[in-house]
Amino acid sequence: MSTELPESAVPPPNGAGEPSPAPTRRTFIATSTAVGGAVVAGGVIGGSFLAAPEEVAAAEAPPSSRVSLTINGTRRTVTVDNRTSLLDLLREHFDLTGSKKGCNAGACGACTVLVDGRRVNSCLTLAVRLEDAEVTTIEGLADGDRLHPLQQAFIDEDAFQCGYCTPGQIVSGVGCIQEGRTGSPEEIREWMSGNICRCGCYVKIVRAVEQTAARK
């Protein structure tokens, strides 16, 4: 039995004079991607899209600034990335690790320092904005081997447990006393509320601040 198709059933070949079938969506996307990739690759290989090494380095280098400030009585000058926080400047550039990085969002107070006598969260403060400022950290409160009265009060009252929040608590307490916000335990709690103690030593912390303020 013959398997040949009748002449009328054989599909005619696409001749030069006959239009090609319309491309499908899939073949159009595949063809466009291949051609586009070849053009991009050719441009990169040919060097038309390659930047000079110095241009690449300039593009990759973050913007930086030179800042001079006084930290714990010592004048410091440093060039830092404009995004550097005061906390990172203290810890990573000057090895002043007393100020702790807790939440790094200004919510726990572990990084509290004094800037021109005012309490600030150093994790939220840009270092480049502190030109000519005076910064006091927990390391700068003591006078040599003589502790600051509030540091001594924290020891006397056993106002800490794990100690992680203690530097921020003490610096904030010093600021609270300087601001005159120590008229009552309730006032101290209110003005120290930005400093969190996860160990729950609040009663003793308030007592230490209250007693130090009374001796002032």
Side-chain angles (χ1 to χ4, degrees), residues 9-26:
V10 178
N14 288 329
E18 298 181 11
S20 300
T24 65
R25 180 174 179 271
R26 178 176 298 177

Side-chain angles (χ1 to χ4, degrees), residues 35-46:
V35 172
V39 171
V40 172
V44 172
I45 294 173

Side-chain angles (χ1 to χ4, degrees), residues 2-17:
S2 174
T3 58
E4 294 183 0
L5 294 174
E7 185 176 350
S8 59
V10 178
N14 288 329

Side-chain angles (χ1 to χ4, degrees), residues 117 148-150 173-182 208-216:
H148 185 280
L150 186 54
V174 170
C176 190
I177 293 170
Q178 293 176 351
E179 295 161 12
R181 309 291 186 179
T182 57
V209 175
E210 186 178 28
Q211 292 183 359
T212 303
R215 299 191 195 107
K216 186 177 179 183

